[in-house]
Amino acid sequence: AADGTGKEELLGSTPDLLNIWPLSWSGDGKMLVVMKWSALSSGTTNFDIGALPMEGDRKYRPLLQEKYSEYQPQISPNGRWMAYSSYESGKGEVYVRPFPEVDSGGRWQVSTSGGDSPLWSPDGRELFYRNGEAVMAVSVKTDPTFSLETPGTLFRGTYAFITNYLHPWDISPDGRRFLMMKESGQSGVESAGPRRINIVLNWTEELKQRVPAK
């Protein structure tokens, strides 16, 4: 429970997988969309997208599993579409597919010159993503089918990534603010700085002045 009451509940387990990260809920809350990390026989790693149903046997279900990495899945507010990042073109780009049947009705490339970390606006009318230091915005329609307009730069800034594959930001429920991280030492971010050693001479005389002896 969000208020901290009650006990923890096991949502599902995948003993055959090395690592999974929960990243997005379906619109009805019946499916948790996750990112899976796997080690390949070539010694490299790959990221795929799957889902854990919250009903029935809660068995892991693969959604996108290709020779290239797909990652950062985000389900649209109406639960009908999945935005995600992929290296299928040889570099990171943002795409949209139907959800939960991802192969049932087309695939749209949202970014035009690189992108990652897709994020839906709460009303589902915009899709945001990051391209380097630029935050991009795209007007979209999600009903009755998916369509999009040309991306435009919303703002620029240097913000931190925990890793390029996890989701590094979020948006407020009213859609008016983004929650992002800055590197320590940037403008407006407190930095610890170098440590200093201060030496105080004749401290007993100062102590007598501050705390007169009775």
Side-chain angles (χ1 to χ4, degrees), residues 15-187:
D16 57 323
L17 303 181
L18 295 178
N19 282 297
I20 60 171
W21 290 273
L23 288 181
S24 187
W25 285 99
S26 61
D28 57 10
K30 295 181 178 180
M31 193 173 293
L32 180 61
V33 182
V34 302
M35 184 177 70
K36 180 191 77 169
W37 175 84
S38 301
L40 304 180
S41 57
S42 60
T44 60
T45 60
N46 206 36
F47 292 89
D48 298 306
I49 296 172
L52 286 172
M54 295 294 100
E55 299 177 335
D57 59 5
R58 296 185 177 180
K59 184 178 180 180
Y60 174 82
R61 170 189 171 187
L63 294 177
L64 290 177
Q65 189 170 322
E66 304 290 346
K67 60 182 179 180
Y68 44 80
S69 286
E70 309 97 355
Y71 50 102
Q72 298 172 328
Q74 292 290 302
I75 307 304
S76 64
N78 66 2
R80 296 184 53 194
W81 310 97
M82 181 178 75
Y84 65 100
S85 304
S86 172
Y87 269 100
E88 62 185 87
S89 68
K91 64 178 180 179
E93 299 281 5
V94 174
Y95 299 86
V96 167
R97 287 177 180 258
F99 180 84
E101 302 300 329
V102 296
D103 294 319
S104 65
R107 176 186 62 84
W108 294 262
Q109 181 173 331
V110 177
S111 57
T112 57
S113 58
D116 55 60
S117 310
L119 185 65
W120 296 92
S121 65
D123 61 10
R125 295 178 180 178
E126 287 185 290
L127 191 57
F128 308 103
Y129 66 91
R130 297 172 60 171
N131 184 4
E133 294 187 355
V135 171
M136 310 296 292
V138 186
S139 294
V140 299
K141 292 182 179 180
T142 58
D143 188 50
T145 186
F146 183 81
S147 62
L148 71 159
E149 297 182 7
T150 303
T153 302
L154 189 62
F155 62 89
R156 292 180 177 272
T158 304
Y159 298 96
F161 281 93
I162 298 176
T163 168
N164 284 345
Y165 296 103
L166 295 181
H167 217 262
W169 62 330
D170 206 349
I171 191 170
S172 62
D174 61 8
R176 300 177 64 182
R177 295 177 299 278
F178 292 102
L179 177 65
M180 310 174 80
M181 296 180 294
K182 283 189 174 182
E183 296 281 1
S184 177
Q186 293 183 21
S187 177

Side-chain angles (χ1 to χ4, degrees), residues 190-207:
E190 183 179 354
S191 175
R195 292 185 177 183
R196 298 184 304 173
I197 298 177
N198 296 322
I199 299 177
V200 179
L201 302 177
N202 299 321
W203 64 273
T204 54
E205 296 300 321
E206 182 178 351
L207 179 62

